[in-house]
Amino acid sequence: MSGLVRVAIIGSGPAGLSAAARAAQLGLSHVLLEKTDHLSDTIFKYQKGKRVLATPERLDLRSDCRFGEAARETILADWDADAAASKVEVVYNAEVVEVTGAKGAFEIRTAKGDTIAAEAIVLAIGTQGNPNRLRCPGNDLPHIIYQVDDPEDFKDRHITVVGSGDAGIENALGVAEEALENRVTILNRSKEFARAKAKNVADLTEAGENGTIDIRTETQPKLVEEGWLTLETPDGDERIACDTIVARLGSVAPRAFVEAMGIEFTGPDREAFPKLSPTFETSVPGLYVIGALAGYPLIKHCMNQGYDVVEFINGNTALTPADEKDLAAIFAGLPQEKSVSEWLDFLRARVRIFADVSPLQMREFMLDSTVGFYRQGEVVFEKGDPGSSLFAIAEGHAEVEVAPGVTVPIEEGSIFGEVGLISGRKRGATIRAGADSIFVEVSRTAALKLMAAVPGAKRAIDRISLERQLLQIFKGGLTVEDLAPVVEGAEVVRVPAGKVVLTEGDEGDDVYVIRSGSMVVEKDIGGKPIFLRYLPAGSYFGEMAVLSGEKRNATVKAAVGSEVIKLTGAGFKAMLAARPQVREATEAAVAERAAMNGFIESRKASYASAVDLYSDTASFIMKEGLGEATDALLIDENLCVGCDNCEKACADSHEGLSRLDREAGKTFAHLHVPTSCRHCEHPHCMADCPPNVIHRGPDGEVFMEPGCIGCGNCMRNCPYGVIRMEATPPPKPGLLSWLLLGRGPGPGEPSPKWTKKRLGEEKPKKIAVKCDMCKGIAGGPACVRACPTGAAIRVSPEEFLSIARLEEDAG
Amino acid sequence: MASLFSGKILRRRARATQTERVRERRHEGFLRYAGFRWAKISGGLCLLVIVSYALIDVQPRPNGGSWYGYTLGTVGALLILWLTALGYRKRRMTRDYWSLKAWTSAHVYLGLSLIVIGTWHTGFQLGWNVHTLAWALMMLVILSGLYGVIVYATLPAALSNNRDQMTQMQMLEAIRAFDRQLHAAAQPLGAADTAPVLAALEEDPFAGGIRARLTGRYPRCATAAAQRALAAATGGEAEARAKVVALLTQKQAALARLRAHLRLRALLEVWLYVHVPLTFALIAALSAHVISVFFYW
Ligand SMILES: Cc1cc2nc3c(=O)[nH]c(=O)nc-3n(C[C@H](O)[C@H](O)[C@H](O)COP(=O)(O)OP(=O)(O)OC[C@H]3O[C@@H](n4cnc5c(N)ncnc54)[C@H](O)[C@@H]3O)c2cc1C
Ligand code: HEM
Ligand code: HEM
Ligand code: SF4
Ligand code: SF4
Ligand code: SF4
């Protein structure tokens, strides 16, 4: 490569390609470096025929390349044509391995050893990273592949899958499909499949038992040859026939590569992104980062940024970002007249948690937020309302109603609503505007991103939320000052599911507050652990020992992965000493808990079987993950006649797809937990949704708003396997015409056969489908309404396991 | 009867039609629904009919044609139409609040009250005519309904125990898996031994007809036959045969589970194939009855 280019673009995904096209249109000397032999590898690797979605809809596309909702093939073909039409200089098979130098004179080195000199660099390598390769001899042979696009491509072959994570297991199950007649082996270096989801492990074990997959544990590849693979097993080496090796060994995230260039990140967490200026410039001048790597995973964002960044590099400072009009709409309802950037500066100056936020980040957070003007006295939210968003006070102040008629002010610049943010539970108090005020409401996802990206914001939110949580638990006139001794020594501890926090009979006087997750309290009665109580987030435990000075009188363990705040006994005592009222209230609560324990113990003697059943039922429910549920479907199999009317009702209430699988799932003592969403307190499914369409609704329901792009992340992240990727079936004839004339497939989800016949060649897009708790349906959950026998009910674990249940059973 | 619809329930219902979700604490079956509300209503209704029949001196004699008879007949006919509407309610997923459990509860108890309402309407004048056909059909529908309630109350627990957390698909898959293993294991066997195994492999788990389905007895089961034949066989390949016999025994256990599952499901459903067609026959006979009494009265 000769000469110095004005801008070198690394990575030809939607971001890089759009940047290169702009550079070409502007006549800048440029080069687009791509690792593979085609453009846009991430999209190239989507499943064949996948419909690529163009969200967010309201955002305009600003790029020299075309993009709109279409099949993967159409989009890739368009881009090839657009790149050629713009005369983009692409170099394929040019994997960049090192960047040195500084603005005006960067030097880029590729894996092949070529070097390119550039004045500026746009880094658009996405977040896919590089797959880890096999480490044994022969690892460069072409029959080793790193992903399976379509299991149907493999027929009648010897296939060995290396890797024991979800990806490996899913691929192995895919190619082991009976009709394909492959002979499939999966290798696992260790004994257990510890990294994979329980569902996948169960399916794999079953396939192993059925003989469709040969599972080899404690086995590794030793030598790869054409048609053969030598294995290192506990009983010595073994050579097996093997035509294809699927290596699923995870991938190296690009972060180390990016950091090696000197680019700083916002923090150490996995969620962190490179620090960027409003023009996408990193901490290294002249080096720009855009696209998924910059934290913008949607194709439209990527393409717009490609266009913008090259305009910025070319000296266009007047360019307003494409999201300007969306931001303007967010600020439109406010009484003052300000431009978007004035508003953003105003917020950053006023609100403490925004102080460390960069202007670019601020734009993004605001897109996920709303700003509202509230008249004095207007209610922002009521106690008991569901909601997980965070509010910040930009102007005016808020009043918290701590008791009827008693309010406490929250000052300008501070925040409120943070408890729902952390625990996902309902609002703990009613909040009103104390004066005419401007409040910013930040969605939970945006707030979590903010905390991950800006350490200062995280510290401020953590401290405020701990103080407020304590104030709420220990009422009685406690002030923030009283809390100082407790808060100073407080420590946040992560507890994995099942781990014991307190052991019965141990010494200790620390007090714990559950910040997120939930705990179960058990006591050893007659040599058997008996379930005493379920503690949801926001409760506290360990206080009995502090007050009595005795040993722990019960064991407390995490029902699900949780976070507890550990307060020292000494600090806690100091707090109680300062406020006798608080001491009294705490003692009363302790007495109540002790009475309940006493009740269970006394029943254990006379009604052992009822107490055992109660306790075993509780353990079963916790084991099924209902400890993190807020609302779950439970079927009593003493009543269920297997009519599946619940599934039919669900399908008929929602575009024809059932969101529950009645028969699947575990059962204990005729209590059955069907496969259906539990509306988790901390929904795992929300973790990684590119268009951010999974939300919690006003009744606590976790639902998807329109805009799902069908990437399947939520399905993989949900540990309970309740999300389906499905296409909406075509509408069917009405009920009467089925009843009277026999037209259509009848109530419930139509059979795939019927759907296929209806649709013919048309391939509708598959999107994520899950229970939305019949959101917006006035009558409530259809599954429950439609059960003829009363077998199906929806419960919250807290109420379901209340002591009243035992009282009814054991008098 | 007002206390049966206590204010609390009405309020809860009103709330449920707004936005708040009702989360229940306990399971409550349709028979026990709301503290046997419909059993009480229906029992009261029957009592009212019996007592008033005894007290009111209808002239010339109690009969469907008296004003009293007309009243009971009309109530009975309306009830029948409403009872039939259950089939529609069950499938019509409107968005307002209703509970099919409450409907079933009312259906069962009010359905039973027809025994009294319908019979007392006739003034015990039964004979061989179209009128009595309607009465007889009604009684048959009620009897089949009674059978339904009994199986609904007794079989679900057995269904649950038998499936032992497996789904029907998984049961089928388990049988297919044994078939695959049998196929491989039977390769070394001689021709005489192979034939019964092949027959077992070709067996359709769903075959056997309605009788087998309902009794759970499959006398011509090819898997059982193969197992018997091979267990009794002698001669070469004893080791391979022992393996096949073991697999056949396992497959039989899997088949037994699936068959018990299908049997219980069939028992839970089959009566509806009597209940519903007879309902329509009843409605036809009843229409004939009503028309005839208007013509020939
Ligand atoms: C299954 C799936 C479905 C999705 N569906 C949608 C959808 O429907 N709609 C939507 O808007 N978004 C969707 N997304 C998200 C979207 O595809 C990505 O976020 C987007 O492609 C990111 O674009 P990018 O340009 O930043 O990076 P990428 O598209 O990841 O492109 C990076 C490019 O850089 C190359 N590269 C990497 N490292 C180097 C190197 N060292 N040297 C040279 N080149 C390198 C890669 O080969 C690749 O071609 C989906 C994602 C997945 C995984
Ligand atoms: C529950 C539904 C009903 C059943 C099971 C039923 C059954 C009978 C029977 C068995 C008789 C006696 C017939 C006889 O005298 O030999 C009878 C008489 C009669 N029924 Fe009904 N009936 C029903 C509903 C009705 C209705 C809705 C009406 C009118 C609208 C009606 C009007 C009459 C009359 C007028 C007679 C007297 C006929 C006579 O004496 O010949 N019945 N009914
Ligand atoms: C003349 C009186 C009756 C009529 C006309 C009638 C009619 C019906 C109809 C039409 C259905 C709907 C079936 C379906 O669509 O699946 C039904 C269901 C049912 N009936 Fe009746 N019925 C009567 C009496 C009874 C009685 C007396 C009982 C019980 C003692 C009973 C018990 C049931 C039960 C348990 C169901 C099933 C509910 C379900 O699973 O959804 N019925 N009946
Ligand atoms: S989809 Fe899964 S992770 Fe998400 S709320 Fe439901 S059960 Fe929890
Ligand atoms: S609550 Fe509604 S969406 Fe959820 S499973 Fe029941 S019927 Fe389906
Ligand atoms: S509707 Fe009720 S009885 Fe029917 S399958 Fe569902 S839970 Fe069982």
Side-chain angles (χ1 to χ4, degrees), chain A residues 10-17 33-36 38-43 46-47 50-55 67 94-97 124-130 257 290-293 296-300 302 690 709-713 716:
Chain A
I10 308 177
S12 69
L17 178 64
L33 301 168
E34 169 53 47
K35 179 172 70 176
T36 62
H38 44 258
L39 291 178
S40 197
D41 190 46
T42 301
I43 289 155
Y46 288 176
Q47 223 173 47
K50 176 187 168 357
R51 280 205 81 75
V52 182
L53 302 175
T55 43
F67 180 59
E95 175 176 4
V96 174
V97 291
I125 57 174
T127 49
Q128 297 302 104
N130 286 324
F257 171 60
I290 55 170
L293 183 62
Y296 296 86
L298 290 176
I299 294 171
K300 231 185 206 177
C302 292
I709 57 172
C711 70
N713 283 354
R716 282 184 289 274

Side-chain angles (χ1 to χ4, degrees), chain A residues 328-357:
Chain A
I330 288 173
F331 294 114
L334 299 177
Q336 291 104 312
E337 289 283 336
K338 287 192 211 300
S339 72
V340 166
S341 52
E342 280 166 352
W343 272 119
L344 293 174
D345 290 343
F346 173 82
L347 294 181
R348 290 199 308 134
R350 289 286 183 98
V351 178
R352 247 181 290 154
I353 60 166
F354 294 148
D356 295 349
V357 181

